[in-house]
Amino acid sequence: MVHLSVIAQPFIFPKVSSFIRTSKVLFLAKNFTFSPVVSSFTRVSPFHHDFRFSSSIDLSSHKVDPPPNDYIREDPILTHVINMVMRDGKKARARRYIADACLEIRKQTNNDPLEIIKVAIDKTAPLVGLISRKKGSKVIQIPKPLNERQRNHKAIKWILDASDKKPGKKFSIRLANEFLAVINGQSLALQKKEQLHKSALMNRQNLPVKW
């Protein structure tokens, strides 16, 4: 009659072997006291389930300097543009489009493309928006002030819509040319901003508070 050895037990009786491992780990945790020094475990052999302590590593002397306060991982406005360019969750592709557009702006102007994008968005961003409310049997438009994120959202949307109407196959080049057109005052996005401001001015009598 062949007796099963201890080596063959983990492969034939997995539940029993897991119970043995758990009990041994609990025994080690009960009979050893842990210090702040980080210790690691090593296997004795590939078929044996005992653990032993290896050489300890003291990490108290290793200090990592914190990052400076002015460290910024990514600009929030650039992140907003990337998220609006992204389609179907493909953020890496959107990042590549924006990077190519920044390179095109750099090549045409020899200036910082991030600053040009910020100025273009700030120049296109409207101050107010319109919300629809039903008053009696008709729908009226009420002007409403926008916060910074809403202003940037409308500006980026208008710039992206205007870039889609430009000729050219590459989206990054069309987007770069649209940002430069906003700086030069020749973009359709600026016309949409003026139209929105005129509509808000015409509907100022619908405000609930009279000034």
Side-chain angles (χ1 to χ4, degrees):
M1 182 177 180
V2 180
H3 294 280
L4 294 175
S5 62
V6 179
I7 296 176
Q9 287 180 4
F11 300 96
I12 299 179
F13 304 104
K15 293 185 178 180
V16 177
S17 62
S18 62
F19 174 76
I20 294 173
R21 290 197 299 270
T22 306
S23 60
K24 288 185 178 181
V25 170
L26 292 176
F27 174 78
L28 289 174
K30 183 178 179 181
N31 292 276
F32 286 90
T33 57
F34 293 91
S35 62
V37 178
V38 178
S39 302
S40 58
F41 292 98
T42 55
R43 298 290 293 269
V44 177
S45 67
F47 300 101
H48 196 67
H49 291 275
D50 285 332
F51 293 90
R52 66 182 179 186
F53 287 100
S54 67
S55 59
S56 300
I57 305 172
D58 189 4
L59 298 181
S60 59
S61 60
H62 299 277
K63 296 181 179 180
V64 179
D65 295 330
N69 294 330
D70 56 350
Y71 176 79
I72 300 176
R73 184 177 180 85
E74 192 171 87
D75 189 83
I77 294 181
L78 196 62
T79 303
H80 198 169
V81 176
I82 292 172
N83 291 337
M84 293 192 66
V85 171
M86 179 178 61
R87 293 291 182 272
D88 300 327
K90 298 178 180 179
K91 197 166 188 176
R93 179 180 295 179
R95 288 178 184 272
R96 187 168 63 250
Y97 287 154
I98 300 302
D100 293 343
C102 289
L103 290 176
E104 183 67 22
I105 294 173
R106 178 76 176 185
K107 184 173 65 175
Q108 294 188 24
T109 63
N110 200 22
N111 289 321
D112 186 8
L114 182 58
E115 293 299 325
I116 292 178
I117 291 175
K118 286 183 178 181
V119 172
I121 292 175
D122 187 68
K123 192 174 181 179
T124 313
L127 298 175
V128 293
L130 292 174
I131 56 176
S132 300
R133 289 288 184 270
K134 190 171 182 180
K135 186 176 181 180
S137 60
K138 62 179 182 179
V139 179
I140 61 175
Q141 302 289 330
I142 301 177
K144 176 187 175 183
L146 303 177
N147 57 34
E148 184 180 359
R149 184 169 181 83
Q150 291 172 337
R151 295 176 66 242
N152 293 338
H153 183 85
K154 280 189 174 295
I156 296 170
K157 184 177 183 300
W158 289 341
I159 291 174
L160 292 178
D161 292 343
S163 67
D164 291 337
K165 298 177 182 178
K166 282 186 172 294
K169 294 183 178 180
K170 295 191 67 174
F171 169 74
S172 57
I173 296 179
R174 287 189 279 111
L175 183 60
N177 292 333
E178 187 61 32
F179 280 124
L180 296 178
V182 171
I183 297 296
N184 296 327
Q186 302 172 354
S187 175
L188 295 176
L190 297 176
Q191 298 178 9
K192 290 185 178 180
K193 175 185 175 181
E194 293 177 0
Q195 292 174 2
L196 179 60
H197 283 177
K198 287 181 180 179
S199 298
L201 190 62
M202 292 173 59
N203 292 280
R204 66 184 183 275
Q205 70 274 6
N206 297 329
L207 288 170
V209 179
K210 300 299 181 182
W211 296 93

